Amino acid sequence: LLAFLVAIPVVRRSVRASAVPLKVLLVLLPIDVLVFTATFGVGQRIGERATGVTFELQALIPSDDVYQLFYSRNAGRFGPEQCVATPVKTGTGPQWVRFELPQDTFPTALRFDPGSRADSLVIYSAAFAHGDEREHIAASELLNAIDGKHDIATAQLRNGGMTLRFNGRDPYFSLAD
């Protein structure tokens, strides 16, 4: 590149006329190119955000509460250190509830805790996403994937959604691969 630039008559005249020796320019130009490339690369990544796996539920929220999603690589072993909590607000229609797992977390088991303030919940669909990829899960598939449940009297398909009726203060269901 430098040889090409020096071959251009205008650049050649300005290099000869400058107070900076050509050898110094030959050393500084590659350094400038490296600094520019590094700065440009960092500038391009400033707007990017590292993302992990997200789990989303489209549900009819019956009351203000805090929903929790526990995740694990070992089915049945869920602890508070592997939990994502999301506050939810009552709405007039279905809403998406989003749980963002920490980056580089790829669980094989999930446990969804829908809070303790409602006596039921309707989930219309779910989705897993990672980067640009998104896997949609219909309510019927979600119902079939339930591996275990606690304080849930019934879980059935009704009016296009999975309707859960709770019979205790700590309802949850788990999903395993």
Side-chain angles (χ1 to χ4, degrees):
L1 176 67
L2 184 60
F4 175 74
L5 289 174
V6 173
I8 300 173
V10 174
V11 174
R12 192 176 325 143
R13 271 185 260 128
S14 66
V15 168
R16 285 188 193 142
S18 73
V20 181
L22 182 59
K23 288 181 182 179
V24 173
L25 285 176
L26 290 174
V27 170
L28 291 178
L29 186 61
I31 293 171
D32 286 345
V33 169
L34 285 173
V35 169
F36 169 77
T37 303
T39 304
F40 183 73
V42 169
Q44 291 288 65
R45 292 190 57 100
I46 286 176
E48 292 181 10
R49 189 174 71 118
T51 61
V53 174
T54 60
F55 180 67
E56 301 172 345
L57 293 171
Q58 184 185 33
L60 186 60
I61 311 297
S63 61
D64 295 358
D65 212 329
V66 176
Y67 289 178
Q68 296 176 308
L69 184 71
F70 291 84
Y71 54 92
S72 173
R73 300 265 322 146
N74 300 318
R77 296 185 182 203
F78 299 102
E81 65 281 348
Q82 294 176 313
C83 176
V84 180
T86 300
V88 294
K89 298 275 185 198
T90 304
T92 57
Q95 316 173 40
W96 283 99
V97 179
R98 181 181 176 103
F99 298 94
E100 290 190 33
L101 278 58
Q103 188 173 357
D104 297 327
T105 300
F106 299 99
T108 57
L110 298 173
R111 186 179 99 186
F112 173 65
D113 292 30
S116 60
R117 296 189 181 134
D119 63 353
S120 65
L121 178 68
V122 179
I123 300 174
Y124 293 98
S125 64
F128 284 102
H130 183 258
D132 293 337
E133 295 182 36
R134 183 178 175 90
E135 182 69 30
H136 180 78
I137 303 165
S140 59
E141 294 175 88
L142 193 59
L143 179 62
N144 291 332
I146 290 179
D147 186 47
K149 57 186 178 181
H150 181 263
D151 285 350
I152 297 177
T154 60
Q156 58 189 353
L157 288 178
R158 186 179 290 166
N159 298 326
M162 179 176 71
T163 301
L164 304 170
R165 299 259 182 243
F166 308 140
N167 62 353
R169 300 307 304 157
D170 186 24
Y172 64 81
F173 66 85
S174 56
L175 306 169
D177 63 348

